[in-house]
Amino acid sequence: MPDRVRGREVALSWYRAAPGGGIVRIRTQPRASRTEVAGAHGETLRIRVAAAPVDGAANRALLKFLARRLRLPRSDIEIRAGHAGRVKSVWVRDLDERTAAQALLSEP
């Protein structure tokens, strides 16, 4: 379902509804200069993560970043698939499509 963010129409192919919340498909880019949303990348949302993918540091940094952007407690967000890969499925409690677009595609 397309949505409007800051006057632009966007298709959220990286979001899907799930029981109790929503799933966001994320493609991470570890060891970036800073942690930030880089935009949609096919069926995923690309997020650059400053942490290295060592001992789960990049996953922890990703979850902390998402919690801050979505203004949710860290306990409401969990990686469901892709712990060791770049493409991850992240479940977020009570996340709907509009909130996902506003929080993740708009500037903070």
Side-chain angles (χ1 to χ4, degrees):
M1 171 172 140
D3 203 349
R4 290 197 174 275
V5 176
R6 291 191 174 200
R8 300 180 291 142
E9 189 171 290
V10 294
L12 299 184
S13 57
W14 44 266
Y15 169 87
R16 71 177 168 83
I23 299 283
V24 179
R25 296 224 352 120
I26 296 173
R27 179 173 182 82
T28 58
Q29 179 185 339
R31 295 189 178 124
S33 59
R34 63 182 178 182
T35 301
E36 64 185 351
V37 175
H41 182 265
E43 298 290 313
T44 61
L45 180 67
R46 176 170 285 190
I47 298 181
R48 296 183 183 117
V49 180
V54 178
D55 297 327
N59 286 342
R60 286 190 303 275
L62 173 66
L63 295 175
K64 182 179 177 182
F65 173 76
L66 290 172
R68 190 171 58 247
R69 285 294 290 264
L70 294 166
R71 295 186 173 131
L72 293 171
R74 164 59 192 88
S75 59
D76 285 354
I77 303 169
E78 84 180 42
I79 297 174
R80 293 272 172 102
H83 292 274
R86 287 187 180 213
V87 178
K88 302 173 185 315
S89 292
V90 178
W91 176 82
V92 182
R93 182 184 314 278
D94 298 329
L95 183 67
D96 60 43
E97 189 172 20
R98 183 170 305 276
T99 303
Q102 290 173 343
L104 297 174
L105 295 179
S106 298
E107 293 298 316

